Amino acid sequence: MTQIFRRSADTWLRVGLLLLIVGLSGGLLVALTLEGTDYRTGRNWVVEQPLPFSHAHHAGELKIDCRYCHSAVQSSAIASLPPTETCMSCHSQVWKNADVLAPLRMSLREHEPMHWQRVVELPDYVYFHHGVHVNAGVGCSECHGQVDRMQLMFKAQPLNMGQCLACHRDPAPHLRPVDQVTNMQWRTDEDRRALGERLMKAHPIEIRGLTDCGTCHR
Ligand code: HEC
Ligand code: HEC
Ligand code: HEC
Ligand code: HEC
Ligand code: HEC
C-alpha cells in the first residue's frame, strides 16, 4: 500500500494541535484579564479637551452646583453639557482676556459650540436615564466619583453591566435624600442601609424588574 502521509505528519499534527490549544487558551486568558480592567472600561483615563476646564475649581472651590452647568440632569435622560453662554455668564467679567479662555471667546464669536470630548459614555445598545436615578436619590458621586476634586475629568467608576446590576439588585445602601444628590460632601451618621430602605418605601422604589435585560437593553 502506498503511504499517503509521511511518518512525521503525525508528529506535525500533534504539534499543530498543541499550538492551537495553547494559542486559544492564552488568548482567552488575556481577554479575561483585560475584562473589567481600567484599560477595558476606560476608568481613570484623562481625555484631552479644547481647554483645561477644572471641576475641582468650579464645582469644588467655587461650589457651583452641578445643575448650573448640567441643567437637564434631573429632568431628562441626558445630563447635557453647558453651552458657551453658561461659561460666559462669569467669564465675560472674570478672566476676561486670559489666554486659556481664547477657545471660549472664539466659540462665542463664531457661534460654534465647544467641542468637549466625552469622558463617560455607554454603548448605543444600553439605555440609561439620569432623571430616574437622580430623583430616586442616587448621588452623582455614586457613578462619577469625587468630581469636586478632579482637576481634569476622568471616568472614576467602570460603569459596566456588573456595576449597574450590583446596585439594581440592592440599591438601599447607595441612596440619599434627593436634595443631597449633587452634594459631594454629603455624609450621614445614620446607617446607610436603614436610611436607604426608608427612602425606598417613601419614594417608592420597586426593585422588581430592575435586573431584567429589557430594562437596559430595549
Ligand atoms: C459662576 C462663575 C463661573 C462660571 C459659570 C464659570 N467659571 Fe471658569 N472661573 C471662574 C472663576 C472665579 C475663575 C478663577 C479666577 C481666579 O482664579 O482668580 C475661573 C477660572 C477658569 C479657568 C482658569 C483655570 C482655572 O480653573 O483656574 C478656566 C479655564 C475656566 N474658568 C473655564 C470655564 C469654562 C469652560 C466654563 C463653562 C463650562 C466656566 N469656566 C464657567 C468662574 C466661573
Ligand atoms: C461651571 C460648569 C460646570 C459645573 C458647575 C459642573 N460641570 Fe461637569 N462638566 C462641565 C464641562 C464644560 C464638561 C466637559 C468638559 C470636561 O469633561 O471636563 C463637564 C463634564 C462632566 C462630566 C463628563 C461628561 C462626559 O461624558 O464627557 C461629568 C460626569 C460631569 N461633568 C459631572 C459633574 C458633576 C457631578 C458636577 C457637580 C459636582 C459638575 N459636573 C459640575 C461643566 C461643569
Ligand atoms: C446611576 C449612575 C449615574 C448617576 C447617579 C449619575 N450619572 Fe451621569 N452618567 C452616567 C452614565 C452611565 C453616563 C453615560 C451615559 C450615556 O453615554 O448614555 C453619564 C453621563 C453624564 C454626563 C455626560 C453628558 C450626558 O448628558 O450624558 C454628564 C455631564 C453627567 N453624567 C453628569 C451627572 C451629574 C451632574 C449627576 C448628578 C446630578 C449624574 N451625572 C448622576 C451615570 C450616572
Ligand atoms: C448606585 C445605584 C445604581 C446604579 C449604579 C445604577 N442604577 Fe439604574 N436605577 C437605580 C435605581 C434605584 C432605579 C429605580 C428608580 C425608581 O424606580 O425610581 C434605577 C432605574 C434604572 C432604569 C429604569 C428607568 C425607567 O425607565 O424606569 C434604568 C434603565 C437604569 N436604571 C439603567 C441603569 C444603567 C444602564 C446603569 C449602569 C450604567 C445603572 N442603571 C446603574 C440605581 C442604580
Ligand atoms: C442595569 C442595566 C443592565 C441590565 C439589567 C442588563 N444589562 Fe447588559 N449591559 C449593560 C451595560 C451598561 C453594558 C455595556 C457595558 C459593558 O460592557 O459591561 C451591557 C452590555 C451587555 C452585553 C455586551 C457585553 C460585552 O462585553 O460587550 C451583553 C451581551 C449584555 N449586556 C446582555 C445582557 C443580558 C442577557 C441581560 C439580562 C440577563 C442584561 N444584559 C441586563 C447594562 C445592563
Side-chain angles (χ1 to χ4, degrees):
M1 210 172 86
T2 47
Q3 209 176 352
I4 302 172
F5 295 109
R6 277 189 289 149
R7 284 173 91 131
S8 62
D10 198 34
T11 315
W12 282 118
L13 184 66
R14 283 174 201 211
V15 171
L17 274 177
L18 191 71
L19 282 176
L20 190 70
I21 292 169
V22 169
L24 280 180
S25 47
L28 192 66
L29 197 70
V30 169
L32 285 176
T33 316
L34 283 181
E35 179 68 38
T37 60
D38 291 355
Y39 176 73
R40 170 76 164 68
T41 62
R43 197 166 75 121
N44 294 341
W45 246 246
V46 167
V47 178
E48 185 108 24
Q49 297 289 358
L51 61 78
F53 175 77
S54 165
H55 278 83
H57 192 166
H58 292 85
E61 288 160 42
L62 297 174
K63 303 208 177 339
I64 311 174
D65 191 272
C66 312
R67 288 162 292 196
Y68 184 80
C69 292
H70 304 296
S71 55
V73 75
Q74 212 151 4
S75 55
S76 69
I78 58 155
S80 75
L81 293 177
T84 302
E85 286 74 14
T86 306
C87 312
M88 280 310 185
S89 64
C90 291
H91 288 295
S92 55
Q93 282 116 45
V94 195
W95 275 39
K96 222 171 123 179
N97 300 313
D99 285 344
V100 289
L101 295 179
L104 215 52
R105 296 191 294 270
M106 167 93 90
S107 150
L108 196 69
R109 211 167 40 237
E110 312 273 319
H111 304 286
E112 178 70 26
M114 294 288 288
H115 296 290
W116 302 115
Q117 300 300 308
R118 290 293 304 276
V119 182
V120 189
E121 203 168 17
L122 292 174
D124 286 343
Y125 57 82
V126 184
Y127 174 76
F128 181 76
H129 194 293
H130 271 97
V132 169
H133 290 90
V134 172
N135 290 309
V138 185
C140 314
S141 60
E142 289 284 341
C143 300
H144 296 302
Q146 290 299 123
V147 171
D148 60 329
R149 292 198 212 123
M150 294 179 187
Q151 276 315 334
L152 295 174
M153 176 56 59
F154 57 89
K155 189 177 171 189
Q157 298 280 340
L159 292 175
N160 53 12
M161 185 158 118
Q163 190 184 351
C164 311
L165 287 174
C167 185
H168 279 201
R169 270 186 215 111
D170 181 24
H174 301 279
L175 302 178
R176 60 175 79 185
V178 178
D179 59 1
Q180 299 298 324
V181 283
T182 62
N183 182 355
M184 299 277 129
Q185 259 67 51
W186 179 79
R187 301 281 176 276
T188 179
D189 293 332
E190 200 179 338
D191 177 54
R192 283 294 298 264
R193 178 170 294 281
L195 171 66
E197 275 163 7
R198 196 152 47 71
L199 293 168
M200 280 177 71
K201 274 209 197 83
H203 186 54
I205 294 168
E206 179 58 73
I207 60 167
R208 203 165 353 109
L210 274 188
T211 51
D212 294 353
C213 314
T215 301
C216 306
H217 305 295
R218 328 188 148 179

